[in-house]
Amino acid sequence: MHCPTDRITATYSLLPDHNCGCAKLPASWLQVRLRGLAGDLRKTDHSKLQEKDILVLLLDLNVSSSHKSATKSVIQYFGKIDILINNAGRSQRSLFLDTNLDVYEAIMHLNFLGTISLTQCVLPYMIKQEKGQIVTVSSLAGLVGAPVSTGYASSKHALQGFFNSLRPELANYPEIIISTVCPGLVHSNIVKNAFTEEINKTVSENSAQTYKMSTTRCVQLMLVGMANELKEMWISGQPLLLYVYLWQYAPTLAWLIANKMSVKRVKNLKSGLDADVSYFGDVKNKAA
């Protein structure tokens, strides 16, 4: 596989990002923050980007009209969209029986329908160009069961099903690449900003980060996969990666393991600990 840097930075990309929980923040703050990130991007090593090469726009993934206007603004500014990166979603930490139905509705609207809406706005331009790449950040939770994250896992399974079905619909456009990225545990604020059993209730557990993959490493692997036009990427360390393989090739064994790990995840959740450390044995004691 070849180095992706030159190819990726030479394209015009649209990157919605909702993992930070930014829907809760003032638009003015977000605008300043995004422009700061754009400046940081230009200063990175080997970057050939100029100020004119970066366009920062605000959109609300829950409001489809903002997707249309943002897409039109990008087309008017750059003339095309080479890559759409759907990096959108909020996680969940709550038990099914304790969770209000409106939480599930909000998860599906944001994680699934918002992504589909934006894709529907961008895809016609790629078809007109007969070229492009749509990259959707799903999750390993879209491939396996994820106790105490039933709504989140459902939304990611929905994304997997949608894009795996969309790909063959575009068989007449071989240069339009549909890629899904399935990260495991990555250093981020996604747990801190996760949905709970009530819409406006925040997560009370302590989110441990030491055992998670660094964001930089995850992005590097993602870029390599994008540059090589991989259809699906599993990005994770062990033992989670082995766990996913078991779900694919030895599901009966995976179900047994899932039951045992679920007991630990539920116990950690109720104790105010990070549910994810249940995958790492004794690490949960350090995380606490």
Side-chain angles (χ1 to χ4, degrees):
M1 293 188 177
H2 58 275
C3 178
T5 305
D6 291 340
R7 176 175 178 265
I8 298 299
T9 56
T11 60
Y12 299 115
S13 306
L14 184 58
L15 297 88
D17 184 357
H18 209 287
N19 283 302
C20 61
C22 54
K24 304 176 184 177
L25 301 171
S28 58
W29 184 94
L30 285 172
Q31 192 80 37
V32 171
R33 177 60 177 154
L34 289 172
R35 292 194 181 281
L37 290 174
D40 292 341
L41 182 61
R42 294 197 304 273
K43 297 175 184 177
T44 55
D45 293 342
H46 310 298
S47 175
K48 299 177 181 178
L49 293 172
Q50 303 296 321
E51 186 172 357
K52 63 181 179 60
D53 297 322
I54 301 174
L55 176 65
V56 178
L57 298 170
L58 289 177
L59 61 82
D60 187 336
L61 209 59
N62 284 317
V63 181
S64 58
S65 59
S66 69
H67 310 166
K68 296 177 182 178
S69 60
T71 302
K72 289 180 179 179
S73 295
V74 172
I75 292 297
Q76 290 173 357
Y77 190 86
F78 292 112
K80 62 177 181 176
I81 298 176
D82 295 310
I83 302 175
L84 168 64
I85 301 178
N86 288 310
N87 182 36
R90 284 181 66 188
S91 190
Q92 176 201 6
R93 289 294 185 275
S94 62
L95 295 171
F96 168 65
L97 290 178
D98 298 334
T99 307
N100 296 335
L101 183 60
D102 59 352
V103 172
Y104 286 94
E105 292 173 344
I107 291 173
M108 292 302 295
H109 197 280
L110 173 63
N111 293 6
F112 179 63
L113 293 177
T115 296
I116 302 313
S117 171
L118 189 55
T119 300
Q120 194 171 49
C121 291
V122 172
L123 184 57
Y125 293 101
M126 292 186 175
I127 289 177
K128 186 177 180 180
Q129 300 163 187
E130 297 187 350
K131 187 174 183 180
Q133 187 172 17
I134 297 175
V135 181
T136 300
V137 179
S138 178
S139 170
L140 290 186
L143 303 172
V144 304
V148 309
S149 299
T150 51
Y152 178 73
S154 299
S155 67
K156 295 302 183 178
H157 274 75
L159 286 175
Q160 293 291 124
F162 176 83
F163 285 103
N164 283 338
S165 301
L166 176 62
R167 190 182 293 109
E169 282 192 16
L170 301 173
N172 290 331
Y173 302 94
E175 292 194 57
I176 296 180
I177 308 301
I178 303 293
S179 301
T180 54
V181 184
C182 301
L185 302 177
V186 179
H187 192 291
S188 73
N189 289 324
I190 194 168
V191 174
K192 179 181 178 181
N193 296 301
F195 285 103
T196 61
E197 61 269 22
E198 299 175 11
I199 282 287
N200 296 319
K201 186 177 178 180
T202 58
V203 173
S204 59
E205 71 180 53
N206 296 315
S207 178
Q209 301 283 355
T210 55
Y211 59 90
K212 299 181 180 181
M213 180 182 291
S214 71
T215 308
T216 301
R217 178 58 176 163
C218 181
V219 171
Q220 288 173 339
L221 294 173
M222 179 176 166
L223 289 174
V224 171
M226 289 169 57
N228 288 277
E229 299 180 349
L230 298 184
K231 293 180 175 63
E232 187 166 289
M233 309 164 221
W234 299 358
I235 301 177
S236 177
Q238 300 294 359
L240 278 183
L241 198 58
L242 174 60
Y243 182 55
V244 177
Y245 273 100
L246 288 176
W247 272 86
Q248 299 296 310
Y249 300 111
T252 301
L253 178 58
W255 294 334
L256 292 173
I257 295 173
N259 286 343
K260 289 189 175 183
M261 287 197 303
S262 179
V263 173
K264 294 181 180 179
R265 283 179 65 84
V266 172
K267 181 179 178 180
N268 281 1
L269 178 72
K270 290 182 176 180
S271 300
L273 303 177
D274 187 347
D276 288 335
V277 298
S278 57
Y279 296 111
F280 295 89
D282 292 338
V283 175
K284 65 181 180 181
N285 296 325
K286 297 177 183 178

